Amino acid sequence: MARYIIKRLLQAIPLVILISIICFTLIQLAPYNAIDTMITPMMSKEAVELINIKYGFDQPIYIQYFLWLKGILSGEFGYSIITHGSISQDLISRIPATISLVLPSYIIALFISIVLGLISGANKNKLIDKIIDGFCSIGIAIPSFWFAMILIFIFGYKLRLLPILGMSTIGMKPSLSDFLLHFIMPGTVLVVAFMPELIRYVRSSTLGQISEDYVVVQKAFGATKREILFKHVFKNVLLPIVTKMGMALPMLITGAMITETVFGWPGVGPYFVTAVQSLDYPVIMAVLLLSSTLVILGNLISDILYFLIDPRIKEMR
């Protein structure tokens, strides 16, 4: 087991380096650079040159990359060009807020999707299957920002039942009840956004399992449809779900950017959107690299979970 994990980690290192090069190169190819946000037509050439020297933009591209990579390897993502604050500290303060929104939403969506996916797969082409599939189609078609604004208009503005912005009420002592009130609307948006793909994934896995021999054997022994579905098919459907759980890791950081921005949730989303709008390249590169690295880490976690859960994989190793 340890050898397998070490092997996968060693395979991931070159990929992370390649991704860092791609992220850095894409930013360099942008039509504008960070200096454009800091200079004015009234500045002299000497002043502009001093800004270039201060932020290292006078160095060759490869030197800039290695300086940036050196800082990242030491745990320092650099400083924001706009706010001059530490990017690492900004991310540390914002990531918990994003996780507190995305993680519960994804878990809720996952549990609901497993149940609905199993029911849909077990009732192929029947009324309940068509209803669930229709919900999935609507969920995929509805833009998250539009759904968020509808909820804000109805429950925040018209009915005044729920707070519109932030994750806590300004001037009040933080409490679980206050957090839950702020969580309901953005959490609902994310649950609806996550569910369609998960439901269809579970449904597809369920259809594959229902055609297996062990289901026929259970029917022959007199097992009910519910017993077959939730005691036997359910266990085998969970294995491919492991892949989805691993791949969901990057969503903990970047999976709610639009929703966070609409609801003013103080997470990574508004931070990244503001950086894009203001051409704050160090922040953009940091978030891109972080999310890309989490994709690789998610794949690694999925492989390890497969290795632990499925004995057939152990035999092949």
Side-chain angles (χ1 to χ4, degrees):
M1 179 64 184
R3 286 183 59 189
Y4 176 69
I5 295 176
I6 293 173
K7 178 183 176 181
R8 293 289 286 110
L9 285 172
L10 292 176
Q11 291 174 345
I13 291 173
L15 189 57
V16 172
I17 294 174
L18 177 61
I19 288 174
S20 71
I21 294 173
I22 293 173
C23 290
F24 187 84
T25 303
L26 288 174
I27 293 298
Q28 295 300 319
L29 293 175
Y32 302 99
N33 57 51
I35 293 298
D36 295 330
T37 64
M38 295 182 284
I39 63 175
T40 66
M42 303 301 295
M43 284 186 177
S44 63
K45 291 184 178 179
E46 291 77 12
V48 174
E49 185 63 27
L50 287 174
I51 294 176
N52 272 290
I53 294 172
K54 177 181 179 181
Y55 291 99
F57 295 125
D58 61 323
Q59 301 288 339
I61 295 297
Y62 67 92
I63 296 295
Q64 293 182 41
Y65 167 75
F66 282 115
L67 290 174
W68 174 67
L69 186 62
K70 179 183 176 182
I72 289 175
L73 292 175
S74 63
E76 181 55 63
F77 286 96
Y79 293 87
S80 167
I81 293 174
I82 306 303
T83 66
H84 305 290
S86 170
I87 298 174
S88 298
Q89 293 300 318
D90 288 341
L91 289 175
I92 289 172
S93 64
R94 290 175 176 271
I95 286 176
T98 296
I99 293 176
S100 69
L101 173 63
V102 179
L103 183 58
S105 302
Y106 190 82
I107 291 174
I108 293 170
L110 183 62
F111 277 109
I112 297 175
S113 298
I114 290 174
V115 175
L116 294 182
L118 285 169
I119 294 173
S120 181
N123 296 275
K124 183 180 178 181
N125 295 329
K126 294 183 179 179
L127 178 61
I128 186 66
D129 181 35
K130 292 179 180 180
I131 293 174
I132 293 173
D133 185 62
F135 165 77
C136 292
S137 299
I138 294 172
I140 292 172
I142 294 177
S144 295
F145 70 89
W146 181 84
F147 184 44
M149 289 189 291
I150 292 296
L151 292 182
I152 289 174
F153 178 75
I154 295 174
F155 296 100
Y157 177 71
K158 282 292 185 180
L159 300 179
R160 299 184 182 275
L161 295 175
L162 298 170
I164 295 175
L165 299 174
M167 62 180 293
S168 61
T169 303
I170 298 175
M172 287 183 58
K173 186 178 180 180
S175 65
L176 179 60
S177 59
D178 186 51
F179 170 80
L180 291 175
L181 284 175
H182 284 81
F183 172 84
I184 290 174
M185 284 201 290
T188 301
V189 171
L190 291 179
V191 168
V192 172
F194 292 149
M195 279 176 57
E197 182 185 359
L198 290 171
I199 289 174
R200 289 184 169 179
Y201 191 79
V202 174
R203 179 184 183 274
S204 178
S205 300
T206 303
L207 290 174
Q209 291 299 320
I210 286 177
S211 61
E212 294 291 333
D213 293 338
Y214 73 88
V215 174
V216 178
V217 172
Q218 290 298 324
K219 288 180 179 178
F221 277 101
T224 64
K225 187 176 182 180
R226 178 174 293 184
E227 288 176 341
I228 294 172
L229 191 61
F230 289 99
K231 287 186 178 180
H232 303 285
V233 174
F234 171 71
K235 294 178 182 178
N236 292 288
V237 167
L238 282 183
L239 185 58
I241 290 295
V242 169
T243 303
K244 282 293 181 182
M245 293 175 64
M247 293 304 297
L249 185 61
M251 287 198 299
L252 293 180
I253 306 300
T254 59
M257 286 191 176
I258 295 176
T259 304
E260 284 184 328
T261 303
V262 172
F263 286 99
W265 195 271
V268 177
Y271 184 60
F272 182 72
V273 170
T274 302
V276 172
Q277 292 173 339
S278 58
L279 302 179
D280 198 344
Y281 290 162
V283 174
I284 297 172
M285 287 192 293
V287 176
L288 287 177
L289 182 61
L290 180 60
S291 59
S292 301
T293 303
L294 286 176
V295 171
I296 298 173
L297 184 59
N299 276 314
L300 176 61
I301 292 174
S302 295
D303 289 345
I304 293 173
L305 289 175
Y306 259 112
F307 187 86
L308 292 173
I309 294 172
D310 195 338
R312 294 171 297 180
I313 297 177
K314 295 179 182 179
E315 292 173 3
M316 289 188 289
R317 298 295 176 187

